[in-house]
Amino acid sequence: MPRVARDAGASVGLRPSSRAISLDQLPSYLAGVHQPEYIQRLLAEAAVSAESPGSLASGDLYLSPGTPTGVGAALGTLLDAVDLAAARGRSPVPLAARDAARQHLLARSADVSPAPGPEGPAELAATFALVRPPGHHCTHAAPMGFCFFNNAVAAARHAFTRHGIEHIAIIDFDLHHGNGTQDLVVDINQKRALDPEAPPRLFFGSLHDIKSYPCELYDAAAIFSASICLMDHDHALWNVHLQPWADFGEFLGHYDGQYRALLTQAAHFLAGCPPDRSLIIVSAGFDAHELEYPSIQRQGRRLPAEFYYLFCRDLALLARAHTDGKMVFALEGGYSQGALANGLYSALAGLAGLGPDHATMAGPGRMARPSRPSDNP
């Protein structure tokens, strides 16, 4: 964080959040996201459990009496991030700046100059909640994959109830499919179809490895769920699978083809609502980074560090074009210090509109030289 703040100047800052959701407040803040019975059962398990919860066991959950405090602090920090982005995004982005952002999104990644810099009301109103535990695997009543509550959907509900934001695009990049978020989005959009006054309308787009958890054990339902693309019948889902790459040129081909297509679908979704009532929420995972632990990267996808710079640079364009710059990030996966530090630096450099010389902590990286097979470690 100090490194990217130094390189980006005043456009990036770090602030602590003292907001925490107490045990008695959790059910109200999570209403419409998780079943009340599930919330109470989880709190009861935490009060007596020293490690793996008996009735909620999935092999990757660890509870203690301090867990509710942790999840309450994470949720409170994320809601702070939503409130801050909503407050900073109240000034409309000028029409010319929106059009310029849309044109940049249509260009090849190698041809895109840095995102338009802060210009008065066109400043990007982006916040990044550095929180744990993650949330994108948790369904309405089933915790899994280190996730107890679904942070992204809780943030979407808060944006709707507190700020009147009706169109919310949830974009998830992580080694693993955000299966819990997708299940909740499907349920919410189905309710919206039956009652237009009920919840917000949501888009869910995920970029993940189809061979990793929760698809690792060849569960057909999980695999099909992580592969569906549907933009009709009141649903808005778009799943993209990470691809292997032999050199940086091949990676850029994947990026300009399949990866950016996810943002194109999000743009189609957001085009249906005024920017002042639209928001982007990003579930940001860094466990697909090439510096992640080999024990996590069992399938060897290893995204180059430059991916996070490019994708977040394009997310900034998407926000300028469709949400008056409003965008909220929540940390998901990422376990090695190398993956987290380098991935976060590249992501924030892209958001801040820094040039390709800052695509990685080490400098321009592969964006400054011809690709070659040895580029993939």
Side-chain angles (χ1 to χ4, degrees):
M1 283 300 304
R3 171 74 178 274
V4 76
R6 182 199 73 190
D7 292 345
S11 63
V12 174
L14 183 65
R15 56 182 283 176
S17 172
S18 59
R19 183 175 183 179
I21 306 304
S22 63
L23 296 186
D24 59 323
Q25 292 175 316
L26 277 173
S28 63
Y29 277 100
L30 294 169
V33 180
H34 297 293
Q35 292 179 352
E37 297 81 8
Y38 162 68
I39 299 170
Q40 296 301 330
R41 185 157 53 106
L42 183 68
L43 296 178
E45 289 272 7
V48 299
S49 179
E51 195 169 286
S52 184
S55 67
L56 300 171
S58 66
D60 49 24
L61 297 169
Y62 305 92
L63 278 175
S64 77
T67 300
T69 302
V71 297
L75 182 60
T77 300
L78 185 53
L79 300 188
D80 255 358
V82 172
D83 292 342
L84 182 59
R88 292 180 61 201
R90 286 176 182 158
S91 298
V93 171
L95 184 59
R98 288 186 206 165
D99 290 341
R102 292 189 185 102
Q103 290 304 311
H104 277 293
L105 279 171
L106 296 174
R108 291 188 313 144
S109 59
D111 297 334
V112 176
S113 60
E119 296 176 7
E123 181 179 357
L124 187 67
T127 55
F128 201 128
L130 299 172
V131 297
R132 287 287 166 82
H136 69 160
H137 293 307
C138 189
T139 67
H140 67 290
M144 63 184 78
F146 312 142
C147 304
F148 295 105
F149 298 126
N150 197 291
N151 299 329
V153 178
R157 177 192 177 276
H158 181 72
F160 175 66
T161 58
R162 177 71 179 270
H163 301 286
I165 295 174
E166 300 173 349
H167 261 45
I168 303 172
I170 301 176
I171 297 173
D172 188 316
F173 61 83
D174 191 277
L175 183 66
H176 310 105
H177 180 231
N179 58 306
T181 304
Q182 179 169 302
D183 287 352
L184 286 165
V185 166
V186 169
D187 288 345
I188 290 170
N189 282 342
Q190 188 66 28
K191 292 174 183 175
R192 173 90 177 195
L194 300 174
D195 179 8
E197 300 300 321
R201 184 159 183 257
L202 304 178
F203 167 90
F204 177 70
S206 177
L207 179 62
H208 55 271
D209 176 30
I210 191 63
K211 296 183 181 298
S212 293
Y213 179 91
C215 306
E216 196 169 31
L217 299 179
Y218 298 92
D219 179 278
I223 293 169
F224 294 155
S225 175
S227 305
I228 189 170
C229 295
L230 176 63
M231 299 291 289
D232 208 337
H233 292 282
D234 294 298
H235 292 289
L237 305 171
W238 204 264
N239 285 286
V240 178
H241 301 161
L242 293 172
Q243 300 298 317
W245 53 286
D247 58 69
F248 194 63
E250 184 177 12
F251 159 75
L252 284 178
H254 296 322
Y255 186 86
D256 284 331
Q258 296 164 284
Y259 301 169
R260 287 180 103 203
L262 191 157
L263 301 182
T264 300
Q265 296 300 324
H268 290 328
F269 170 83
L270 291 168
C273 189
D276 63 327
R277 297 204 299 274
S278 299
L279 175 68
I280 298 167
I281 295 175
V282 183
S283 287
F286 297 96
D287 41 6
H289 195 287
E290 58 191 334
L291 295 179
E292 184 55 274
Y293 293 128
S295 59
I296 299 293
Q297 280 275 359
R298 292 185 291 274
Q299 309 302 331
R301 282 294 172 257
R302 299 197 173 279
L303 276 175
E306 293 85 350
F307 163 80
Y308 300 95
Y309 169 82
L310 290 169
F311 200 71
C312 289
R313 180 202 63 185
D314 287 346
L315 280 168
L317 292 170
L318 183 69
R320 283 191 173 95
H322 294 287
T323 69
D324 284 335
K326 298 187 299 297
M327 183 159 49
V328 177
F329 286 71
L331 182 62
E332 295 286 355
Y335 304 97
S336 78
Q337 290 187 15
L340 277 173
N342 286 273
L344 184 62
Y345 176 91
S346 297
L348 293 178
L351 286 174
L354 298 183
D357 286 351
H358 297 279
T360 73
M361 284 184 73
R366 284 156 286 217
M367 295 185 69
R369 64 180 187 268
S371 60
R372 55 180 186 264
S374 61
D375 279 345
N376 186 353

